């Protein structure tokens, strides 16, 4: 709930949070990241082993509608193909920002 209210967080580090980041939480996170008021551009969501492949696919699709331009996620929980898709989306997201 607090993350939904927060408008000043730009980097989110939730690595190795197996019991706290499961399918429901990852799907809620992508909805938060898609909010226009969300300023998070940097995300570390590595070592979250209890998230299903289907959920990661939904997360990857949802990334297109976020400001996330830098992200770390564990290789062993996401397929190589999906990881490539995530990388491509993140690179595309970088064009949304002026540097």
């Amino acid at each position: 709930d607090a993350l939904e209210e927060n408008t000043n967080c730009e980097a989110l580090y939730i690595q190795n949070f197996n019991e706290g980041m499961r399918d429901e939480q990852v799907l809620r996170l992508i909805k938060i990241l898609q909010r226009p008021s969300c300023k998070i551009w940097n995300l570390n969501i590595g070592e979250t082993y209890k998230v299903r492949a289907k959920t990661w696919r939904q997360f990857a699709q949802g990334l297109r509608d976020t400001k996330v331009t830098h992200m770390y996620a564990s290789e062993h929980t996401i397929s190589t193909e999906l990881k490539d898709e995530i990388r491509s989306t993140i690179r595309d997201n970088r064009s949304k920002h002026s540097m």
Side-chain angles (χ1 to χ4, degrees):
D1 294 338
L3 193 55
E4 287 180 331
E5 303 295 321
N6 191 314
T7 58
N8 64 347
C9 179
E10 294 184 14
L12 185 60
Y13 185 95
I14 46 179
Q15 183 174 2
N16 204 17
F17 195 45
N18 287 313
E19 298 306 320
M21 288 303 289
R22 295 182 179 227
D23 296 317
E24 180 182 344
Q25 288 77 23
V26 170
L27 294 175
R28 186 167 180 198
L29 175 61
I30 196 64
K31 295 293 183 196
I32 291 169
L33 293 172
Q34 291 172 334
R35 295 170 68 126
S37 61
C38 182
K39 295 181 181 176
I40 297 170
W41 59 269
N42 185 11
L43 177 64
N44 182 330
I45 192 168
E47 284 81 41
T48 48
Y49 303 115
K50 296 185 179 182
V51 177
R52 294 179 300 159
K54 177 183 176 184
T55 301
W56 282 121
R57 284 192 298 275
Q58 290 176 281
F59 184 86
Q61 290 173 348
L63 272 177
R64 296 180 188 125
D65 299 318
T66 72
K67 297 176 182 95
V68 175
T69 59
H70 295 75
M71 180 178 152
Y72 170 77
S74 302
E75 339 26 80
H76 25 314
T77 58
I78 301 173
S79 70
T80 302
E81 295 81 14
L82 188 57
K83 208 156 191 185
D84 289 342
E85 180 183 330
I86 289 170
R87 280 188 200 103
S88 177
T89 299
I90 287 172
R91 288 179 183 129
D92 289 345
N93 281 354
R94 290 178 185 160
S95 68
K96 298 176 187 177
H97 301 276
S98 59
M99 296 187 189

